[in-house]
């Protein structure tokens, strides 16, 4: 007997919902994650299509707004000028508007009179036109190489005509004749034709008045719309757009006037009727890109053809237009425009086509200002950065990246041309002296050559293939060899100490060593670069017996231990040898960890400029390379310092205020105005307490001395790695790590002092920040010169 019931078992919990392991879950989501970039592109394209459709459908409202904004840019400076003179803004807007309207009415009336005079004389030119057309007809009817083809075509046409005539045709014809329109219909038709432009002009005038009256409120709304919570970015974007568009419009007006006025004068001398009319038309039509100049040239050429029975007037008119076009397009526009818009040539042409397709002829006129606004948005709005890459003139790749790419592609010739252009531009057409060449080549190696090697070092074991590495090595060899030939070092030895630059680990270290040796030779040092040396056997050790200074070049993110080991080995073999480490990839903050002296190292340099200074310091050079100043220039400089009253205590308040302004603007802890005398440096009003009361400091104890010696700006990103700052009392007392000095010049250009910044952490200054520091220094100069 069996039990039909199942055995009793303990209750088991309900099965839990199935869950996938993290690895399997990641595999399921992986295809969706791969679609995210494509979805972003599709969303972006959809948004762009919606914006373009909105621009096209809303053109009836957007065109008057755009025209009003353009006119507002033109008229707002005059309104602001009247407001600064004390007039209320409403009255200033009214006066500027009436002046603009009066100018347009007066110009229109004068041009109407000129046009009426020309149209009155046109019937008298009919005989001349008929005669010239007859001459052309006779010349065209003469024998030519195309007579046989024309005869054949005529025969075929006759045959077709005969066949067509044999076909029966209807004999009846019905023609509907409309009665002539009455005066009311005619008037309404004219109103329909001119009503649209008049309405648009009225709307534009109304918008211009409102924009000029409510300028401040509109600016605040634009800032809120563009920047959200970031007023700094929105302010920069609005200022840049205003500056670029205003400069473009001013330059466009100057260029057009410089074209139209000579056109009118030239046509008057040639004898073309209505010369002033055609000059004014040329000035106005050149606001329309590409099409405007062609249209403005058509009228005087046609009139010259009709007036003169011969061809001399036509040829002279054509020559005048051609000369003015060449001068305007290839001389005035590049000189006056420069980088006013920041748009590339291709983007200007594409923008003209795009806006013309959307808004017609008005879009062609507004294409450049509107595209400038898009460029500024792309520069300051992170999500629209691709617009700047598409439209702007700024290279999307920095020069080191571009050269690195050319070397990877095996295009050594183009890479060499780019390097030569960079160096030649730094040298300049009028500066061919050895010091200028040395500075330019050293700057190229520092700013372009070493970054290329850094890219190669970082990508060596990553995306770089064996073919890439081979091309890079061969290209760098050819590039450095070409630069050695183009910019040879002087034969005469200016320094007795011999410098050997050695690549420590691999071929990239050797390339950097070759750059360093070339820069040292250009500076007058007898230097040479060694082939790769093994860290274990140090095969080049016997070649270093004649060296006084050795530079160990290495690309490694953390090289101190290795370089200290090599330095100690070298010092054991050659006790008198001085060793400088060049860790090109090491962080600036790690320089303090090198333990100079105890590690066998005498100095550390992370760029070629610092290496030159380290070598000069170790060789006990009298002054930094390229910084010597003649006794005559020094006497003139000191004399200007005293004669112009720079040391007058009345200027101390100005110096303190300028130092405070500079420190706040650049967010540095210290700043000062230094006055460099014959043997001392004073900084009254300094933010350094030691110098605030004008205490004199010996020149050899002040970094500001090097600004006067170099006769130019001096920026030291990390004072701990610069030999000029070693052992200076104030640098050690206030733990200074950054210094930037901008020269202060006398009326005749001598450097009498500097406006300098100092901080406790390493940092750098961009080109824009350096320009701002120069502006602040110019304010100090104006304050002293104005007080005198």
């Amino acid at each position: 007997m069996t039990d039909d019931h199942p055995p009793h078992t303990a209750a088991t919990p309900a099965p839990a919902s199935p869950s996938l392991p993290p690895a399997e879950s990641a595999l399921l989501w992986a295809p969706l994650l791969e679609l995210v970039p494509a979805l972003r592109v599709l969303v972006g394209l959809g948004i762009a299509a919606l914006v373009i459709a909105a621009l096209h459908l809303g053109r009836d409202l957007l065109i008057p707004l755009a025209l009003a904004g353009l006119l507002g840019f033109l008229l707002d400076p005059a309104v602001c000028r009247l407001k600064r003179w004390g007039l209320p803004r409403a009255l200033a807007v009214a006066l500027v508007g009436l002046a603009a309207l009066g100018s347009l009415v007066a110009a229109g009336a004068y041009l109407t009179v000129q046009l009426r005079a020309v149209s009155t004389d046109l019937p008298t030119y009919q005989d001349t036109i008929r005669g010239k057309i007859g001459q052309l007809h006779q010349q065209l009817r003469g024998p030519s190489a195309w007579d046989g083809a024309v005869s054949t075509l005529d025969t075929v046409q006759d045959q077709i005509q005969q066949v067509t005539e044999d076909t029966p045709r209807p004999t009846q014809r019905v023609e509907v004749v409309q009665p002539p329109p009455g005066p009311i219909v005619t008037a309404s038709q004219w109103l329909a034709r001119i009503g649209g432009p008049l309405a648009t002009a009225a709307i534009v005038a109304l918008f211009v008045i409102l924009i000029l009256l409510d300028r401040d409120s509109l600016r605040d709304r634009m800032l809120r719309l563009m920047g959200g919570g970031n007023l700094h970015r929105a302010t920069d974007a609005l200022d840049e757009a205003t500056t670029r568009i205003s400069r473009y419009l001013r330059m466009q007006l100057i260029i057009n006037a410089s074209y139209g006025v000579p056109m009118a004068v030239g046509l008057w001398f040639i004898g073309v009727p209505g010369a002033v009319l055609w000059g004014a038309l040329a000035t106005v039509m050149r606001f329309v890109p590409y099409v405007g100049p062609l249209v403005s040239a058509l009228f005087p050429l046609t009139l010259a053809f009709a007036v003169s029975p011969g061809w001399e007037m036509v040829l002279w008119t054509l020559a005048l237009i051609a000369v003015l076009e060449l001068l305007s397009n290839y001389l005035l526009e590049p000189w006056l425009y420069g980088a006013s818009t920041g748009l590339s040539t291709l983007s200007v042409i594409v923008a003209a086509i795009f806006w013309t397709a959307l808004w017609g002829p008005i879009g062609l006129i507004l294409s450049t200002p509107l595209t400038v606004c898009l460029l500024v948005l792309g520069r300051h709005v992170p999500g629209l950065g691709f617009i700047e890459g598409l439209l702007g003139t700024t290279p999307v790749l920095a020069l080191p990246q571009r050269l690195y790419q050319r070397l990877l592609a095996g295009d050594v010739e183009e890479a060499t041309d780019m390097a030569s252009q960079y160096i030649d531009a730094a040298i300049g057409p009028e500066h061919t002296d050895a010091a200028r060449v040395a500075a330019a080549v050293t700057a190229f190696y520092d700013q372009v050559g070493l970054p290329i090697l850094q890219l190669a070092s970082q990508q060596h074991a990553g995306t770089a293939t064996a073919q890439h590495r081979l091309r890079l090595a061969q290209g760098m060899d050819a590039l450095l060899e070409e630069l050695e030939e183009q910019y040879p070092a002087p034969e005469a030895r200016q320094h007795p100490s011999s410098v050997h630059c050695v690549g420590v680990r691999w071929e990239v270290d050797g390339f950097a060593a070759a750059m360093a040796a070339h820069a040292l030779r250009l500076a007058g040092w007898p230097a040479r670069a060694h082939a790769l040396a093994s860290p274990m056997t140090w095969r080049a050790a016997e070649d270093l017996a004649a060296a006084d200074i050795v530079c160990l070049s290495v690309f490694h993110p953390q090289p101190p231990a290795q370089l200290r080991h090599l330095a100690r080995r070298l010092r054991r073999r050659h006790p008198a040898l001085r060793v400088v480490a060049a860790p090109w990839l090491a962080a600036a903050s790690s320089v303090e960890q090198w333990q100079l002296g105890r590690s066998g190292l005498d100095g550390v340099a992370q760029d070629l400029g610092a290496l030159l200074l380290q070598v000069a310091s170790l060789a006990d050079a009298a002054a930094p390379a390229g910084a010597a100043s003649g006794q005559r220039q020094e006497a003139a400089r000191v004399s200007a310092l005293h004669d112009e009253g720079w040391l007058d205590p009345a200027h101390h308040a100005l110096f303190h205020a300028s130092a405070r302004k500079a420190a706040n603007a650049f967010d540095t802890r210290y700043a000062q105005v230094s006055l460099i005398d014959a043997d001392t440096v004073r900084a009254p009003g300094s933010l350094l307490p030691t110098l605030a009361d004008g205490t004199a400091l010996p020149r050899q104890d002040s970094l500001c001395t090097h600004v006067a010696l170099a006769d130019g700006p001096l920026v030291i990103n990390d004072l701990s790695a610069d030999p000029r700052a070693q052992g200076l009392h104030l640098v050690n007392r206030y733990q200074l790590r950054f210094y930037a000095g901008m020269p202060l010049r006398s009326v005749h250009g001598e450097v009498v002092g500097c406006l300098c910044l100092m901080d406790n952490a390493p940092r750098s200054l961009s080109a824009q920040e350096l320009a701002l520091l120069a502006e602040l220094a110019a304010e100090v100069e104006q304050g002293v010169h104005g007080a005198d």
Side-chain angles (χ1 to χ4, degrees):
M1 181 175 176
T2 60
D3 192 358
D4 295 335
H5 298 282
H8 178 73
T9 57
T12 58
S17 59
S19 61
L20 295 176
E24 296 183 6
S25 177
L27 290 176
L28 289 177
W29 283 101
L32 296 178
L33 294 176
E34 292 178 356
L35 294 177
V36 170
L39 291 176
R40 289 179 178 175
V41 173
L42 291 176
V43 171
L45 292 176
I47 295 174
L50 290 176
V51 171
I52 293 174
L55 290 172
H56 180 68
L57 297 176
R59 60 186 181 275
D60 293 336
L61 175 62
L62 296 176
I63 288 177
L65 278 175
L67 286 173
L70 191 64
L71 293 175
F73 276 113
L74 284 173
L75 299 179
D76 185 66
V79 173
C80 293
R81 178 65 60 86
L82 293 178
K83 187 178 178 183
R84 283 196 296 268
W85 289 351
L87 294 179
R89 187 167 189 87
L91 181 57
V93 170
L95 291 176
V96 171
L98 290 176
L101 181 62
S103 301
L104 291 176
V105 171
Y110 177 75
L111 295 179
T112 301
V113 173
Q114 292 288 320
L115 182 61
R116 184 179 301 172
V118 172
S119 62
T120 303
D121 295 336
L122 282 179
T124 62
Y125 307 140
Q126 295 179 2
D127 295 337
T128 304
I129 297 174
R130 291 194 188 98
K132 287 188 175 180
I133 293 177
Q135 294 177 6
L136 292 174
H137 184 64
Q138 291 179 0
Q139 294 177 0
L140 293 176
R141 290 181 60 185
S144 66
W146 300 98
D147 289 345
V150 173
S151 177
T152 303
L153 291 175
D154 291 340
T155 302
V156 174
Q157 185 178 2
D158 292 340
Q159 294 295 328
I160 295 174
Q161 186 175 1
Q162 290 178 4
V163 174
T164 306
E165 289 177 353
D166 294 339
T167 304
R169 298 179 179 179
T171 57
Q172 295 182 354
R173 185 178 63 179
V174 178
E175 182 178 356
V176 179
V177 179
Q178 294 289 345
I184 298 179
V185 176
T186 303
S188 63
Q189 291 176 351
W190 277 102
L191 287 176
R193 293 176 182 175
I194 66 174
L198 287 178
T200 302
I203 295 174
V204 169
L206 178 61
F207 281 158
V208 169
I209 294 174
L210 293 177
I211 288 174
L212 293 177
L213 285 175
D214 204 22
R215 170 180 172 270
D216 295 336
S217 177
L218 286 175
R219 180 179 58 188
D220 294 342
R221 296 176 188 278
M222 289 295 296
L223 290 172
R224 182 71 177 96
L225 180 64
M226 294 169 57
N230 193 339
L231 289 179
H232 299 86
R233 178 181 296 165
T235 301
D236 291 341
L238 192 60
D239 289 345
E240 183 179 352
T242 303
T243 302
R244 288 186 180 273
I245 294 177
S246 299
R247 187 188 299 123
Y248 166 75
L249 293 176
R250 289 195 302 269
M251 293 302 102
Q252 183 72 51
L253 182 61
I254 293 173
I255 291 173
N256 292 358
S258 65
Y259 182 92
V261 173
M263 171 73 78
V265 175
L267 293 177
W268 181 79
F269 274 107
I270 294 172
V272 178
V276 177
L277 173 64
W278 309 129
L281 180 65
T283 301
V284 174
M285 291 302 297
R286 286 185 69 85
F287 279 102
V288 182
Y290 310 112
V291 180
L294 296 177
V295 174
S296 63
L298 181 63
F299 291 100
L301 285 173
T302 303
L303 197 57
F305 175 82
V307 170
S308 176
W311 294 93
E312 294 82 3
M313 184 176 290
V314 177
L315 295 177
W316 278 110
T317 304
L318 182 61
L320 174 65
I321 294 173
V323 170
L324 290 178
E325 285 288 342
L326 290 174
L327 292 176
S328 179
N329 294 335
Y330 296 100
L331 181 62
L332 289 179
E333 289 186 4
W335 175 42
L336 293 177
Y337 278 156
S340 60
T341 61
L343 298 174
S344 65
T345 304
L346 180 61
S347 65
V348 171
I349 297 174
V350 173
I353 298 173
F354 174 79
W355 290 107
T356 304
L358 281 182
W359 289 357
I362 301 298
L364 183 60
I365 298 174
L366 297 173
S367 61
T368 299
L370 291 175
T371 310
V372 168
C373 294
L374 290 177
L375 175 67
V376 173
L377 286 177
R379 181 169 298 171
H380 294 279
V381 178
L384 302 178
F386 68 94
I387 296 180
E388 183 184 9
L390 292 175
L391 302 178
T393 56
T394 303
V396 294
L397 293 179
L399 184 57
Q401 295 174 317
R402 293 165 61 197
L403 267 170
Y404 180 67
Q405 188 277 328
R406 302 305 190 272
L407 294 175
L408 288 180
D411 195 349
V412 181
E413 183 177 356
E414 185 177 355
T416 303
D417 291 340
M418 295 169 63
S420 301
Q421 291 173 6
Y422 180 95
I423 296 173
D424 292 341
I427 295 174
E430 300 179 357
H431 301 279
T432 57
D433 59 284
R436 190 82 178 186
V437 174
V441 175
T442 303
F444 171 78
Y445 286 150
D446 258 336
Q447 300 171 14
V448 181
L450 291 178
I452 290 175
L453 299 181
Q454 290 175 0
L455 288 172
S457 177
Q458 294 166 359
Q459 300 182 9
H460 178 78
T463 57
T465 63
Q467 189 177 20
H468 291 154
R469 291 190 285 268
L470 178 61
R471 288 178 181 174
L472 179 67
Q474 294 175 342
M476 284 301 302
D477 275 331
L479 176 63
L480 295 178
E481 182 179 355
E482 184 67 25
L483 293 180
E484 287 267 6
E485 293 180 359
Q486 290 187 15
Y487 309 100
E491 296 181 1
R493 288 191 173 187
Q494 300 177 13
H495 305 289
S497 300
S498 176
V499 185
H500 287 216
C501 301
V502 182
V504 172
R505 298 171 56 245
W506 57 310
E507 59 185 355
V508 171
D509 298 343
F511 292 141
M515 294 180 186
H518 187 202
L520 286 165
R521 286 194 296 272
L522 288 172
W525 298 93
R528 57 176 297 190
H530 282 278
L532 301 180
S534 170
M536 299 300 297
T537 61
W538 199 256
R539 294 192 298 267
E542 62 274 10
D543 297 331
L544 301 180
D548 298 303
I549 302 173
V550 169
C551 171
L552 300 178
S553 170
V554 59
F555 277 88
H556 192 280
Q558 295 179 344
Q562 181 185 27
L563 289 181
R564 284 197 293 263
H565 174 67
L566 293 176
R568 284 194 293 266
R569 292 183 62 186
L570 284 173
R571 296 293 285 272
R572 283 197 299 267
R573 296 193 179 195
H574 309 287
L577 191 66
R578 284 157 292 184
V579 182
V580 178
W584 311 114
L585 280 182
S589 59
S590 66
V591 173
E592 297 175 342
Q593 305 173 5
W594 288 85
Q595 301 176 358
L596 299 182
R598 290 182 297 170
S599 63
L601 293 172
D602 298 286
V604 178
Q606 294 180 286
D607 57 68
L608 292 181
L611 177 62
L612 292 175
L613 293 172
Q614 287 283 4
V615 170
S617 176
L618 294 177
D620 295 326
S629 178
Q631 295 296 327
R632 183 176 303 175
Q633 289 81 358
E634 177 68 11
R637 189 191 64 76
V638 174
S639 177
L641 175 69
H642 291 271
D643 295 343
E644 295 183 8
W646 285 83
L647 298 174
D648 190 340
H651 300 318
H652 290 183
L654 169 66
F655 296 158
H656 179 75
S658 301
R660 178 62 63 185
K661 182 190 296 185
N664 291 336
F666 290 90
D667 193 22
T668 58
R669 187 167 184 178
Y670 306 110
Q672 67 186 29
V673 172
S674 300
L675 304 176
I676 306 170
D677 209 338
D679 300 314
T680 59
V681 174
R682 299 179 185 272
S686 172
L687 301 187
L688 289 172
T690 305
L691 304 178
D693 58 353
T695 299
L697 191 69
R699 282 189 58 173
Q700 62 270 21
D701 293 338
S702 174
L703 288 170
C704 301
T705 300
H706 298 280
V707 178
L709 294 175
D711 195 21
L714 174 64
V715 179
I716 304 176
N717 298 333
D718 187 359
L719 293 175
S720 66
D722 196 291
R724 290 168 292 189
Q726 303 302 321
L728 296 186
H729 172 68
L730 292 180
V731 172
N732 296 330
R733 176 175 179 179
Y734 294 100
Q735 298 181 351
L736 302 179
R737 294 289 300 276
F738 167 75
Y739 176 89
M742 182 62 60
L744 297 174
R745 300 185 181 274
S746 66
V747 176
H748 300 291
E750 296 90 352
V751 178
V752 296
C754 67
L755 173 63
C756 60
L757 306 170
M758 294 161 287
D759 209 347
N760 299 118
R763 57 178 294 181
S764 60
L765 292 183
S766 64
Q768 293 79 5
E769 290 174 328
L770 202 60
L772 179 59
L773 185 60
E775 293 179 6
L776 294 178
E779 291 181 4
V780 178
E781 295 171 355
Q782 293 174 1
V784 174
H785 298 158
D788 294 340

